[in-house]
Amino acid sequence: MKLHFKDIRWLLLLPLVFNLLLLTPLLGDGFPKGGDRIGHLLMAAKTKEVLQHFFATGELRLWQDWHFMGSPLFYYYSPLPAVTLAVIGIVTGADLLLLYKLTVMLFYLFIPFTVYFCSTLFGVEKKAAVLAALLSVLPVSIYGFGFEYRAFFDFGLFTQLFGTLLFMLGFAACYRFVFVEKTFRYRWFFLSSIFTALAFLSHILAG
């Protein structure tokens, strides 16, 4: 798909550049401090340990002993983000901290494009969809519990990034399936079900 200057979609590059400039320092040395970030990284590390032990012995130990005097492994955090990082870490051998930082960066890079794509599924005109994507980097609230930058950089809401992005895709696919398509389309039924389920597996409130 070629983008000409008259095609307003080239404006989607602006939030991409903005996010790259803002988030690239995240890839530097050290761990980003604040909020629940260390908890999410430890959860991924523990999940990786559990999976490696399971693959080696066949025994599944779904208990963690480092948080609130111990609890079931996914009692406080939904499993998908930690399992995703753990599996990628096992398969690639990559450092979990680097994977954690790259995941945060990629999710914020994808948000404007996800907003644009979901807007088109709602039947929004191209200009309005592009405007929605541009505005997606601006939301801010007094609480900071959204996909705004404060949600991660102040509170470390890592799983919420997964849940919010997947919820947008699930909600848009559901809308397309129910209100736009005139006949039963298995594709949109399947996509709406999968994205909604993944949103719940990432963050129960976002789902």
Side-chain angles (χ1 to χ4, degrees), residues 20-72:
L20 281 173
L21 293 175
L22 179 68
L23 298 169
T24 298
L26 185 67
L27 299 178
D29 294 334
F31 185 80
K33 299 179 181 179
D36 292 346
R37 296 175 206 169
I38 188 63
H40 292 299
L41 185 62
L42 287 174
M43 178 64 70
K46 182 65 177 180
T47 303
K48 180 180 178 182
E49 177 186 316
V50 166
L51 291 176
Q52 288 175 324
H53 181 77
F54 173 72
F55 294 144
T57 67
E59 181 184 6
L60 192 60
R61 296 178 177 178
L62 295 177
W63 182 266
Q64 60 83 17
D65 55 5
W66 53 267
H67 197 223
F68 290 107
M69 300 179 67
S71 68

Side-chain angles (χ1 to χ4, degrees), residues 26-205:
L26 185 67
L27 299 178
D29 294 334
F31 185 80
K33 299 179 181 179
D36 292 346
R37 296 175 206 169
I38 188 63
H40 292 299
L41 185 62
L42 287 174
M43 178 64 70
K46 182 65 177 180
T47 303
K48 180 180 178 182
E49 177 186 316
V50 166
L51 291 176
Q52 288 175 324
H53 181 77
F54 173 72
F55 294 144
T57 67
E59 181 184 6
L60 192 60
R61 296 178 177 178
L62 295 177
W63 182 266
Q64 60 83 17
D65 55 5
W66 53 267
H67 197 223
F68 290 107
M69 300 179 67
S71 68
L73 184 60
F74 300 116
Y75 185 79
Y76 291 100
Y77 296 129
S78 297
L80 184 61
V83 171
T84 300
L85 288 186
V87 170
I88 295 176
I90 292 173
V91 172
T92 65
D95 178 65
L96 280 181
L97 178 57
L98 176 61
L99 289 175
Y100 179 85
K101 292 178 177 181
L102 284 173
T103 302
V104 172
M105 187 172 183
L106 288 174
F107 267 69
Y108 274 115
L109 290 176
F110 276 123
I111 282 175
F113 297 98
T114 303
V115 170
Y116 172 81
F117 175 70
C118 291
S119 298
T120 61
L121 293 184
F122 283 119
V124 174
E125 292 184 358
K126 185 189 299 184
K127 290 182 180 179
V130 170
L131 179 61
L134 293 176
L135 294 177
S136 68
V137 300
L138 301 179
V140 63
S141 68
I142 190 172
Y143 299 107
F145 284 80
F147 59 80
E148 58 200 272
Y149 300 103
R150 187 185 178 203
F152 176 76
F153 290 100
D154 282 356
F155 305 122
L157 302 182
F158 179 67
T159 56
Q160 190 161 310
L161 281 177
F162 274 76
T164 302
L165 200 70
L166 290 166
F167 170 77
M168 286 192 288
L169 291 168
F171 186 71
C174 285
Y175 183 92
R176 179 67 177 253
F177 173 68
V178 175
F179 296 107
V180 177
E181 297 295 333
K182 303 302 182 183
T183 58
F184 188 93
R185 299 280 185 176
Y186 284 99
R187 177 178 61 178
W188 294 111
F189 174 77
F190 177 77
L191 289 175
S192 60
S193 301
I194 290 296
F195 283 129
T196 302
L198 292 177
F200 274 104
L201 287 171
S202 300
H203 193 275
I204 191 66
L205 295 179

